Amino acid sequence: MSSSQTSTLGLHRWVGTDRVSRAEMVDNFDIVDEAAADIYAQIEDLRLLISRLDVGWTIADEINFRYPDNNGIFYDILDGKGGRVTAALEGVATYTTGALAAGATSITVGDASGLAVGEEVTIYDDVNAENVTITAITDNTLTVGALVNAYKAKATVARTTAVTDAANARMVFPAWGTSDIAITEA
């Protein structure tokens, strides 16, 4: 039987006259194997993160140089996980104050000050997303074309910067320009 254990993995350690036990040896191998599996999983997660960051920065650079006043959202279809990526300047993303039914043409938002008539906005929640054009703004109520989907209260409404072309697995951007953006993924 071992008389001590290693400090990091808790492996059995034999000293002096300790008798080596086959069960303790097998236990040591199991502990090492479990630790190795965890390390390999962490390495794979880091590889995925690095590749996503590379893609994210490429997209950020692309957006940064293409569209003036770049504000809004797009979907990250590049890593297969479908995460929502937000590329927005302060004050141009807001939220719905209530749930919206499909067919609604009026969207009441928390703050419409960053939006203007004629702009396209993307509305999205954790289930649906679509782009609509603002035809009128009264206080914090946006008038838009009829919504195709229903949305939960607190759905995000942001000025559109890119259109996701899911069929071709790419994003389509508007005309060239320059702006500063911050990118976060939910």
Side-chain angles (χ1 to χ4, degrees):
M1 295 291 235
S2 65
S3 59
S4 65
Q5 293 182 325
T6 61
S7 60
T8 304
L9 293 178
L11 298 173
H12 296 282
R13 178 184 291 162
W14 300 272
V15 293
T17 59
D18 292 347
R19 294 187 67 167
V20 176
S21 159
R22 181 183 300 249
E24 289 175 331
M25 289 292 287
V26 170
D27 192 30
N28 277 359
F29 285 123
D30 289 343
I31 292 169
V32 170
D33 191 54
E34 186 177 318
D38 185 47
I39 290 168
Y40 281 119
Q42 290 177 31
I43 289 170
E44 191 54 38
D45 288 346
L46 289 172
R47 281 186 189 146
L48 177 60
L49 177 62
I50 289 167
S51 68
R52 291 176 71 199
L53 287 173
D54 287 344
V55 169
W57 285 117
T58 302
I59 291 170
D61 288 343
E62 185 77 9
I63 292 171
N64 193 38
F65 293 108
R66 282 194 176 232
Y67 189 61
D69 299 321
N70 185 350
N71 306 297
I73 66 101
F74 56 89
Y75 282 85
D76 177 7
I77 59 173
L78 304 171
D79 64 7
K81 294 194 180 227
R84 188 172 58 239
V85 177
T86 303
L89 291 173
E90 292 294 321
V92 294
T94 187
Y95 58 91
T96 62
T97 59
L100 300 170
T105 58
S106 207
I107 303 172
T108 302
V109 295
D111 180 13
S113 63
L115 303 170
V117 172
E119 289 181 329
E120 184 181 65
V121 293
T122 301
I123 180 169
Y124 63 90
D125 59 18
D126 61 338
V127 177
N128 295 308
E130 66 187 272
N131 293 348
V132 291
T133 301
I134 300 171
T135 58
I137 300 176
T138 306
D139 297 321
N140 283 329
T141 301
L142 312 176
T143 303
V144 298
L147 296 176
V148 174
N149 303 300
Y151 295 92
K152 300 172 185 171
K154 304 293 185 194
T156 300
V157 177
R159 198 176 314 152
T160 303
T161 56
V163 178
T164 300
D165 179 356
N168 296 311
R170 66 187 182 106
M171 294 188 301
V172 180
F173 295 92
W176 285 92
T178 302
S179 62
D180 295 322
I181 61 173
I183 295 184
T184 57
E185 183 165 359

PDB file of all heavy atoms in Angstrom, residues 47-65:
ATOM      1  N   ARG A  47      -8.262  25.321 -29.702  1.00  0.00           N
ATOM      2  CA  ARG A  47      -8.104  25.353 -31.160  1.00  0.00           C
ATOM      3  C   ARG A  47      -9.330  25.961 -31.824  1.00  0.00           C
ATOM      4  O   ARG A  47      -9.218  26.774 -32.732  1.00  0.00           O
ATOM      5  CB  ARG A  47      -7.889  23.942 -31.703  1.00  0.00           C
ATOM      6  CG  ARG A  47      -6.504  23.430 -31.528  1.00  0.00           C
ATOM      7  CD  ARG A  47      -6.339  22.097 -32.231  1.00  0.00           C
ATOM      8  NE  ARG A  47      -5.057  21.527 -31.854  1.00  0.00           N
ATOM      9  CZ  ARG A  47      -4.823  20.264 -31.709  1.00  0.00           C
ATOM     10  NH1 ARG A  47      -5.755  19.378 -31.944  1.00  0.00           N
ATOM     11  NH2 ARG A  47      -3.637  19.844 -31.345  1.00  0.00           N
ATOM     12  N   LEU A  48     -10.520  25.544 -31.380  1.00  0.00           N
ATOM     13  CA  LEU A  48     -11.759  26.092 -31.931  1.00  0.00           C
ATOM     14  C   LEU A  48     -11.857  27.587 -31.654  1.00  0.00           C
ATOM     15  O   LEU A  48     -12.191  28.372 -32.543  1.00  0.00           O
ATOM     16  CB  LEU A  48     -12.965  25.364 -31.344  1.00  0.00           C
ATOM     17  CG  LEU A  48     -14.336  25.875 -31.778  1.00  0.00           C
ATOM     18  CD1 LEU A  48     -14.502  25.775 -33.293  1.00  0.00           C
ATOM     19  CD2 LEU A  48     -15.436  25.114 -31.072  1.00  0.00           C
ATOM     20  N   LEU A  49     -11.532  27.995 -30.429  1.00  0.00           N
ATOM     21  CA  LEU A  49     -11.577  29.412 -30.076  1.00  0.00           C
ATOM     22  C   LEU A  49     -10.622  30.226 -30.936  1.00  0.00           C
ATOM     23  O   LEU A  49     -10.976  31.284 -31.450  1.00  0.00           O
ATOM     24  CB  LEU A  49     -11.245  29.596 -28.594  1.00  0.00           C
ATOM     25  CG  LEU A  49     -11.179  31.035 -28.096  1.00  0.00           C
ATOM     26  CD1 LEU A  49     -12.516  31.727 -28.261  1.00  0.00           C
ATOM     27  CD2 LEU A  49     -10.723  31.059 -26.646  1.00  0.00           C
ATOM     28  N   ILE A  50      -9.410  29.737 -31.125  1.00  0.00           N
ATOM     29  CA  ILE A  50      -8.420  30.450 -31.937  1.00  0.00           C
ATOM     30  C   ILE A  50      -8.908  30.572 -33.381  1.00  0.00           C
ATOM     31  O   ILE A  50      -8.826  31.644 -33.985  1.00  0.00           O
ATOM     32  CB  ILE A  50      -7.044  29.761 -31.865  1.00  0.00           C
ATOM     33  CG1 ILE A  50      -6.436  29.966 -30.472  1.00  0.00           C
ATOM     34  CG2 ILE A  50      -6.100  30.279 -32.953  1.00  0.00           C
ATOM     35  CD1 ILE A  50      -5.241  29.091 -30.177  1.00  0.00           C
ATOM     36  N   SER A  51      -9.451  29.496 -33.936  1.00  0.00           N
ATOM     37  CA  SER A  51      -9.930  29.575 -35.321  1.00  0.00           C
ATOM     38  C   SER A  51     -11.111  30.524 -35.422  1.00  0.00           C
ATOM     39  O   SER A  51     -11.236  31.271 -36.391  1.00  0.00           O
ATOM     40  CB  SER A  51     -10.288  28.193 -35.859  1.00  0.00           C
ATOM     41  OG  SER A  51     -11.421  27.674 -35.213  1.00  0.00           O
ATOM     42  N   ARG A  52     -11.991  30.527 -34.406  1.00  0.00           N
ATOM     43  CA  ARG A  52     -13.129  31.451 -34.424  1.00  0.00           C
ATOM     44  C   ARG A  52     -12.659  32.898 -34.275  1.00  0.00           C
ATOM     45  O   ARG A  52     -13.209  33.804 -34.894  1.00  0.00           O
ATOM     46  CB  ARG A  52     -14.115  31.078 -33.338  1.00  0.00           C
ATOM     47  CG  ARG A  52     -14.822  29.754 -33.640  1.00  0.00           C
ATOM     48  CD  ARG A  52     -15.722  29.325 -32.541  1.00  0.00           C
ATOM     49  NE  ARG A  52     -16.884  30.187 -32.506  1.00  0.00           N
ATOM     50  CZ  ARG A  52     -17.670  30.296 -31.459  1.00  0.00           C
ATOM     51  NH1 ARG A  52     -17.435  29.604 -30.376  1.00  0.00           N
ATOM     52  NH2 ARG A  52     -18.708  31.095 -31.502  1.00  0.00           N
ATOM     53  N   LEU A  53     -11.649  33.127 -33.434  1.00  0.00           N
ATOM     54  CA  LEU A  53     -11.112  34.482 -33.285  1.00  0.00           C
ATOM     55  C   LEU A  53     -10.483  34.956 -34.591  1.00  0.00           C
ATOM     56  O   LEU A  53     -10.657  36.111 -34.977  1.00  0.00           O
ATOM     57  CB  LEU A  53     -10.089  34.530 -32.153  1.00  0.00           C
ATOM     58  CG  LEU A  53     -10.652  34.446 -30.740  1.00  0.00           C
ATOM     59  CD1 LEU A  53      -9.515  34.322 -29.730  1.00  0.00           C
ATOM     60  CD2 LEU A  53     -11.532  35.641 -30.429  1.00  0.00           C
ATOM     61  N   ASP A  54      -9.752  34.066 -35.259  1.00  0.00           N
ATOM     62  CA  ASP A  54      -9.170  34.430 -36.555  1.00  0.00           C
ATOM     63  C   ASP A  54     -10.252  34.849 -37.535  1.00  0.00           C
ATOM     64  O   ASP A  54     -10.152  35.874 -38.195  1.00  0.00           O
ATOM     65  CB  ASP A  54      -8.369  33.262 -37.149  1.00  0.00           C
ATOM     66  CG  ASP A  54      -7.049  33.028 -36.434  1.00  0.00           C
ATOM     67  OD1 ASP A  54      -6.609  33.926 -35.690  1.00  0.00           O
ATOM     68  OD2 ASP A  54      -6.467  31.947 -36.631  1.00  0.00           O
ATOM     69  N   VAL A  55     -11.323  34.048 -37.624  1.00  0.00           N
ATOM     70  CA  VAL A  55     -12.438  34.374 -38.516  1.00  0.00           C
ATOM     71  C   VAL A  55     -13.117  35.659 -38.057  1.00  0.00           C
ATOM     72  O   VAL A  55     -13.422  36.540 -38.848  1.00  0.00           O
ATOM     73  CB  VAL A  55     -13.452  33.211 -38.576  1.00  0.00           C
ATOM     74  CG1 VAL A  55     -14.723  33.635 -39.285  1.00  0.00           C
ATOM     75  CG2 VAL A  55     -12.836  32.014 -39.268  1.00  0.00           C
ATOM     76  N   GLY A  56     -13.335  35.766 -36.743  1.00  0.00           N
ATOM     77  CA  GLY A  56     -13.999  36.961 -36.202  1.00  0.00           C
ATOM     78  C   GLY A  56     -13.247  38.237 -36.513  1.00  0.00           C
ATOM     79  O   GLY A  56     -13.840  39.234 -36.918  1.00  0.00           O
ATOM     80  N   TRP A  57     -11.932  38.209 -36.341  1.00  0.00           N
ATOM     81  CA  TRP A  57     -11.155  39.415 -36.633  1.00  0.00           C
ATOM     82  C   TRP A  57     -11.141  39.708 -38.119  1.00  0.00           C
ATOM     83  O   TRP A  57     -11.153  40.873 -38.529  1.00  0.00           O
ATOM     84  CB  TRP A  57      -9.739  39.295 -36.068  1.00  0.00           C
ATOM     85  CG  TRP A  57      -9.748  39.467 -34.588  1.00  0.00           C
ATOM     86  CD1 TRP A  57      -9.401  38.552 -33.650  1.00  0.00           C
ATOM     87  CD2 TRP A  57     -10.185  40.620 -33.858  1.00  0.00           C
ATOM     88  NE1 TRP A  57      -9.588  39.058 -32.380  1.00  0.00           N
ATOM     89  CE2 TRP A  57     -10.063  40.330 -32.481  1.00  0.00           C
ATOM     90  CE3 TRP A  57     -10.669  41.869 -34.227  1.00  0.00           C
ATOM     91  CZ2 TRP A  57     -10.408  41.233 -31.485  1.00  0.00           C
ATOM     92  CZ3 TRP A  57     -11.006  42.771 -33.225  1.00  0.00           C
ATOM     93  CH2 TRP A  57     -10.874  42.458 -31.885  1.00  0.00           C
ATOM     94  N   THR A  58     -11.134  38.683 -38.940  1.00  0.00           N
ATOM     95  CA  THR A  58     -11.213  38.900 -40.386  1.00  0.00           C
ATOM     96  C   THR A  58     -12.529  39.566 -40.742  1.00  0.00           C
ATOM     97  O   THR A  58     -12.570  40.518 -41.521  1.00  0.00           O
ATOM     98  CB  THR A  58     -11.066  37.556 -41.136  1.00  0.00           C
ATOM     99  OG1 THR A  58      -9.820  36.974 -40.764  1.00  0.00           O
ATOM    100  CG2 THR A  58     -11.124  37.752 -42.640  1.00  0.00           C
ATOM    101  N   ILE A  59     -13.611  39.075 -40.151  1.00  0.00           N
ATOM    102  CA  ILE A  59     -14.931  39.674 -40.403  1.00  0.00           C
ATOM    103  C   ILE A  59     -14.962  41.100 -39.867  1.00  0.00           C
ATOM    104  O   ILE A  59     -15.465  42.003 -40.528  1.00  0.00           O
ATOM    105  CB  ILE A  59     -16.037  38.818 -39.765  1.00  0.00           C
ATOM    106  CG1 ILE A  59     -16.170  37.496 -40.511  1.00  0.00           C
ATOM    107  CG2 ILE A  59     -17.374  39.560 -39.768  1.00  0.00           C
ATOM    108  CD1 ILE A  59     -17.062  36.490 -39.822  1.00  0.00           C
ATOM    109  N   ALA A  60     -14.419  41.313 -38.665  1.00  0.00           N
ATOM    110  CA  ALA A  60     -14.411  42.659 -38.086  1.00  0.00           C
ATOM    111  C   ALA A  60     -13.659  43.619 -38.992  1.00  0.00           C
ATOM    112  O   ALA A  60     -14.106  44.744 -39.241  1.00  0.00           O
ATOM    113  CB  ALA A  60     -13.777  42.633 -36.699  1.00  0.00           C
ATOM    114  N   ASP A  61     -12.498  43.188 -39.493  1.00  0.00           N
ATOM    115  CA  ASP A  61     -11.741  44.046 -40.406  1.00  0.00           C
ATOM    116  C   ASP A  61     -12.547  44.335 -41.664  1.00  0.00           C
ATOM    117  O   ASP A  61     -12.581  45.464 -42.152  1.00  0.00           O
ATOM    118  CB  ASP A  61     -10.412  43.387 -40.798  1.00  0.00           C
ATOM    119  CG  ASP A  61      -9.414  43.379 -39.653  1.00  0.00           C
ATOM    120  OD1 ASP A  61      -9.624  44.151 -38.686  1.00  0.00           O
ATOM    121  OD2 ASP A  61      -8.449  42.614 -39.731  1.00  0.00           O
ATOM    122  N   GLU A  62     -13.190  43.301 -42.198  1.00  0.00           N
ATOM    123  CA  GLU A  62     -13.992  43.462 -43.406  1.00  0.00           C
ATOM    124  C   GLU A  62     -15.124  44.466 -43.177  1.00  0.00           C
ATOM    125  O   GLU A  62     -15.336  45.382 -43.957  1.00  0.00           O
ATOM    126  CB  GLU A  62     -14.568  42.101 -43.819  1.00  0.00           C
ATOM    127  CG  GLU A  62     -15.308  42.104 -45.114  1.00  0.00           C
ATOM    128  CD  GLU A  62     -14.400  42.133 -46.330  1.00  0.00           C
ATOM    129  OE1 GLU A  62     -13.175  41.989 -46.195  1.00  0.00           O
ATOM    130  OE2 GLU A  62     -14.935  42.321 -47.423  1.00  0.00           O
ATOM    131  N   ILE A  63     -15.838  44.302 -42.078  1.00  0.00           N
ATOM    132  CA  ILE A  63     -16.941  45.212 -41.762  1.00  0.00           C
ATOM    133  C   ILE A  63     -16.406  46.614 -41.519  1.00  0.00           C
ATOM    134  O   ILE A  63     -16.958  47.603 -41.984  1.00  0.00           O
ATOM    135  CB  ILE A  63     -17.710  44.724 -40.524  1.00  0.00           C
ATOM    136  CG1 ILE A  63     -18.450  43.437 -40.846  1.00  0.00           C
ATOM    137  CG2 ILE A  63     -18.702  45.779 -40.053  1.00  0.00           C
ATOM    138  CD1 ILE A  63     -19.046  42.770 -39.622  1.00  0.00           C
ATOM    139  N   ASN A  64     -15.329  46.704 -40.779  1.00  0.00           N
ATOM    140  CA  ASN A  64     -14.770  47.993 -40.399  1.00  0.00           C
ATOM    141  C   ASN A  64     -14.468  48.870 -41.609  1.00  0.00           C
ATOM    142  O   ASN A  64     -14.633  50.082 -41.560  1.00  0.00           O
ATOM    143  CB  ASN A  64     -13.504  47.769 -39.575  1.00  0.00           C
ATOM    144  CG  ASN A  64     -13.044  49.021 -38.887  1.00  0.00           C
ATOM    145  OD1 ASN A  64     -13.847  49.810 -38.419  1.00  0.00           O
ATOM    146  ND2 ASN A  64     -11.743  49.192 -38.818  1.00  0.00           N
ATOM    147  N   PHE A  65     -14.044  48.264 -42.712  1.00  0.00           N
ATOM    148  CA  PHE A  65     -13.669  49.041 -43.877  1.00  0.00           C
ATOM    149  C   PHE A  65     -14.773  49.151 -44.918  1.00  0.00           C
ATOM    150  O   PHE A  65     -14.608  49.831 -45.905  1.00  0.00           O
ATOM    151  CB  PHE A  65     -12.411  48.455 -44.510  1.00  0.00           C
ATOM    152  CG  PHE A  65     -11.225  48.613 -43.617  1.00  0.00           C
ATOM    153  CD1 PHE A  65     -10.682  47.527 -42.965  1.00  0.00           C
ATOM    154  CD2 PHE A  65     -10.672  49.861 -43.385  1.00  0.00           C
ATOM    155  CE1 PHE A  65      -9.595  47.672 -42.123  1.00  0.00           C
ATOM    156  CE2 PHE A  65      -9.596  50.015 -42.534  1.00  0.00           C
ATOM    157  CZ  PHE A  65      -9.051  48.918 -41.907  1.00  0.00           C
TER     158      PHE A  65
END
